[in-house]
Amino acid sequence: MVYITRKEHFNAAHKLFNPSWTEEKNQNVFGKCANPNWHGHNYYVYVTVKGELQKETGYTVNLKELSSIIREKITDKLDHKNLNLDVDFLEGLMPTTEVVAIAIWDQLLEPVSKLGGILHCVKLCETDNNYVEYFGGK
Amino acid sequence: MVYITRKEHFNAAHKLFNPSWTEEKNQNVFGKCANPNWHGHNYYVYVTVKGELQKETGYTVNLKELSSIIREKITDKLDHKNLNLDVDFLEGLMPTTEVVAIAIWDQLLEPVSKLGGILHCVKLCETDNNYVEYFGGK
Amino acid sequence: MVYITRKEHFNAAHKLFNPSWTEEKNQNVFGKCANPNWHGHNYYVYVTVKGELQKETGYTVNLKELSSIIREKITDKLDHKNLNLDVDFLEGLMPTTEVVAIAIWDQLLEPVSKLGGILHCVKLCETDNNYVEYFGGK
Amino acid sequence: MVYITRKEHFNAAHKLFNPSWTEEKNQNVFGKCANPNWHGHNYYVYVTVKGELQKETGYTVNLKELSSIIREKITDKLDHKNLNLDVDFLEGLMPTTEVVAIAIWDQLLEPVSKLGGILHCVKLCETDNNYVEYFGGK
Amino acid sequence: MVYITRKEHFNAAHKLFNPSWTEEKNQNVFGKCANPNWHGHNYYVYVTVKGELQKETGYTVNLKELSSIIREKITDKLDHKNLNLDVDFLEGLMPTTEVVAIAIWDQLLEPVSKLGGILHCVKLCETDNNYVEYFGGK
Amino acid sequence: MVYITRKEHFNAAHKLFNPSWTEEKNQNVFGKCANPNWHGHNYYVYVTVKGELQKETGYTVNLKELSSIIREKITDKLDHKNLNLDVDFLEGLMPTTEVVAIAIWDQLLEPVSKLGGILHCVKLCETDNNYVEYFGGK
């Protein structure tokens, strides 16, 4: 088994706000992330796929194809968008780093499988100082 | 003369949109940066101050004080904000990297002078792939 | 299970020297790291916590609280200090990257648990070219 | 168990081309990586070794010795070379990132064992946007 | 005047070899860079343009257009190529970082001018540890 | 004129403390940098040399030779040392980033000139968030 990782990025706006809570509770829990007029980030997403080495190519999966899938399914839909308002697969979700990473996993699982690899990890970096990794499972 | 630089950062939302233009012209010029629901970035600002070496301290200016000024005047006002809506010193301006860099310069010029240094450059990085430098002047 | 990581840093002095050895043996084993008058590093520590997604917040653990814990328990005690002389939880220990990483783990295990997460990994980077990861266990 | 990682680098030329295929098929699969006159990269290799903490030194393995091994066995042979033509342990292989990572693993397994550690992972970065990890095994 | 910079990259092979010299002299001057079978790098090019702020857009020059020019004139011609053999505008030149940077300047001067900006600097990074800057002039 | 830059690094301990001041005043001015038992940093030094392009080599100056000079004159003397106690050319000086940058300039001016280049800038980075540039002159 070999693990291959492709990094892509998108720039997006979001806010963290639970509408069933008071303004004060939102402030206490989410702090400045609850700013009503949004804020944003340069996000980096690392998609790791595992698989067997293909003898004829020396590839696990073709990186150009993996990159195309990530762009079509993920970054074309997230780049220069509002994660709370503009993205079909995030509708109704609180767009924390954790939630977005899991949602990206769900979008990629089947297409990566069709490519001949096994999705191993989605790593999503929100700032230089924090990131989330999701390996699937419950 | 010695040049000393302090780096700070802020995460903000913005959009590029000229209200006196048609939707179509905005799309042509600003592309996805014109997304009505905003997008955002992790911004990095580098503030360079020049000055004489102070004999007693070996400092040009005290970096802790320079950092405090940048936080008070700039990053506290920009971090987790919407650059089009939330910032007094950007009111009525199109928040491109160039415009924000110049506005930061204008906010820092006098406070840096009071600190005993001469503001030399404001460098503002919007993404890993583009940044603006402003050295004052017309 | 989701894994979330917070990065913090501290700048510290140290030396590697076994007092039960001759000067010569210390030189052979530790080389320039044994310099009697110390040397130092900008250290980066990555703390990874795993946990279930909290429905109301979309958080695994609250990163602001995780960051506060790391600062209170670790970086406030290590930053601008001498790792051989100034740190209670390193007393009597040889401050290699491995030993400091394990000591950080021991300091964080209980506080992270109180936060509702499970400490998964402490990664400590001493230079751009070497780092240590500790996942607990014997 | 502690995991320690050393990063080294080499700059090399290569191309991806299967001589049993037509020119057209090579173009379809490998794209611009099949350029007949080669292209090249700045490669970064991260070698992770696991082991017990040594009481007298606070080391898992001695990093200077690990670095010497990586240079002798790997980077001295790969740096400023052509991966298709100049490297004994890559002879007859298609030098994809996957294949080179596995070949590096095979070169390091025994020497790292003699050093007293267990080779855990070889991570090979070809560009800022893609890397391969190999943990041994089938 | 505002200075705006766009970063692009290309991966290429090259060697440094003066055919009018003996093999030995080439070795003495260029060392391992003279390897007959080539080596290669991930190159990063930073193009800095100065200009007046445009009132209607808040732009100096349109970065999308600047990026298109750099790709058309430079990186499409250099990416995954051999700098000694494959590039029209480097024909007959010794592809050191200095020479390539100056050649890039010559290719960009007129197109940047047509875009409404003034080419200020071409910075070319060959490795993490060395880069060249060219500001035009004799 | 072309400008070429070489990056080197060293890891060192230091403290900022003016012996003619009270403990209290040192604390007020230098804060935690005055810790009596030292602290330390991973320093990066960028040396920029300007010169004419040499026709036969395509070089401004030979980078291998520039690197050797920086190692001999600077990093061999500073690496794994105490900047207050161990370095001949820093004796009696307060080792702020500014002072060390200027001292490095003074050490390199003549050797770089003998190499056939003109020393243009010494940039010294103490942390990811601050650095000093010195261009000589009064």
Side-chain angles (χ1 to χ4, degrees), chain B residues 18-83:
Chain B
N18 184 331
S20 69
W21 290 353
T22 63
E23 186 79 28
E24 196 190 357
K25 185 165 181 189
N26 273 290
Q27 275 300 323
N28 285 346
V29 173
F30 294 120
K32 55 190 181 180
C33 295
N35 180 43
N37 285 331
W38 323 95
H39 66 284
H41 299 287
N42 301 333
Y43 288 91
Y44 293 90
V45 56
Y46 295 75
V47 177
T48 301
V49 173
K50 65 180 174 185
E52 305 287 343
L53 201 69
Q54 307 301 313
K55 269 192 191 159
E56 287 202 315
T57 57
Y59 279 166
T60 312
V61 295
N62 191 313
L63 263 193
K64 282 184 298 176
E65 294 174 18
L66 178 57
S67 175
S68 294
I69 286 173
I70 303 172
R71 292 183 188 212
E72 180 198 340
K73 300 291 182 189
I74 306 298
T75 58
D76 284 354
K77 294 185 172 182
L78 299 181
D79 191 33
H80 284 73
K81 299 294 184 192
N82 185 309
L83 302 184

Side-chain angles (χ1 to χ4, degrees), chain E residues 12-131:
Chain E
H14 79 149
K15 70 175 166 186
L16 302 183
F17 185 85
N18 185 331
S20 68
W21 289 353
T22 63
E23 186 77 28
E24 195 190 357
K25 186 166 181 189
N26 273 290
Q27 275 300 323
N28 285 347
V29 173
F30 295 120
K32 54 191 182 180
C33 295
N35 179 45
N37 286 329
W38 323 96
H39 66 283
H41 299 287
N42 301 333
Y43 289 90
Y44 292 91
V45 56
Y46 295 76
V47 177
T48 302
V49 173
K50 65 180 173 185
E52 305 286 343
L53 202 69
Q54 306 300 313
K55 269 193 192 160
E56 286 201 316
T57 57
Y59 280 167
T60 312
V61 294
N62 190 315
L63 262 193
K64 281 184 300 175
E65 294 174 18
L66 177 58
S67 176
S68 294
I69 285 173
I70 303 171
R71 293 184 187 211
E72 182 198 339
K73 300 292 182 189
I74 308 298
T75 57
D76 285 355
K77 294 185 171 181
L78 300 181
D79 190 33
H80 285 72
K81 298 294 184 193
N82 184 309
L83 302 183
N84 300 67
L85 302 177
D86 294 337
V87 186
D88 53 4
F89 68 78
L90 293 176
E91 213 178 300
L93 299 177
M94 173 87 78
T96 61
T97 319
E98 289 94 326
V99 167
V100 179
I102 294 173
I104 291 173
W105 172 280
D106 290 340
Q107 297 301 305
L108 290 178
L109 189 58
E110 193 180 302
V112 164
S113 169
K114 281 185 185 162
L115 198 63
I118 300 165
L119 186 59
H120 174 69
C121 181
V122 168
K123 176 179 171 181
L124 183 62
C125 304
E126 197 186 66
T127 74
D128 280 357
N129 299 322
N130 63 290
Y131 61 83

Side-chain angles (χ1 to χ4, degrees), chain D residues 42-101:
Chain D
N42 301 332
Y43 288 91
Y44 292 90
V45 56
Y46 296 76
V47 177
T48 302
V49 174
K50 66 179 173 185
E52 304 287 342
L53 201 69
Q54 307 301 313
K55 268 192 192 160
E56 287 201 315
T57 57
Y59 280 166
T60 312
V61 294
N62 190 315
L63 263 194
K64 281 183 299 175
E65 294 173 18
L66 178 58
S67 176
S68 293
I69 286 172
I70 304 172
R71 291 184 188 211
E72 181 197 340
K73 302 291 182 189
I74 308 298
T75 57
D76 285 355
K77 294 184 172 181
L78 300 181
D79 190 32
H80 284 72
K81 299 293 184 195
N82 184 309
L83 302 183
N84 300 67
L85 302 177
D86 294 336
V87 186
D88 53 4
F89 68 79
L90 294 175
E91 215 178 299
L93 299 177
M94 173 86 78
T96 61
T97 318
E98 287 93 328
V99 167
V100 178

Side-chain angles (χ1 to χ4, degrees), chain A residues 1 9-10 18-20 22 24 26 30 41 45 51 54 58 60 63 71 74 77 82 84 93 110 137:
Chain A
M1 277 294 182
H9 68 275
F10 58 94
N18 185 330
S20 69
T22 62
E24 195 190 357
N26 273 291
F30 294 119
H41 298 287
V45 56
Q54 306 301 312
T60 312
L63 263 192
R71 292 183 188 211
I74 307 298
K77 293 184 172 180
N82 185 309
N84 299 67
L93 300 176
E110 193 180 303

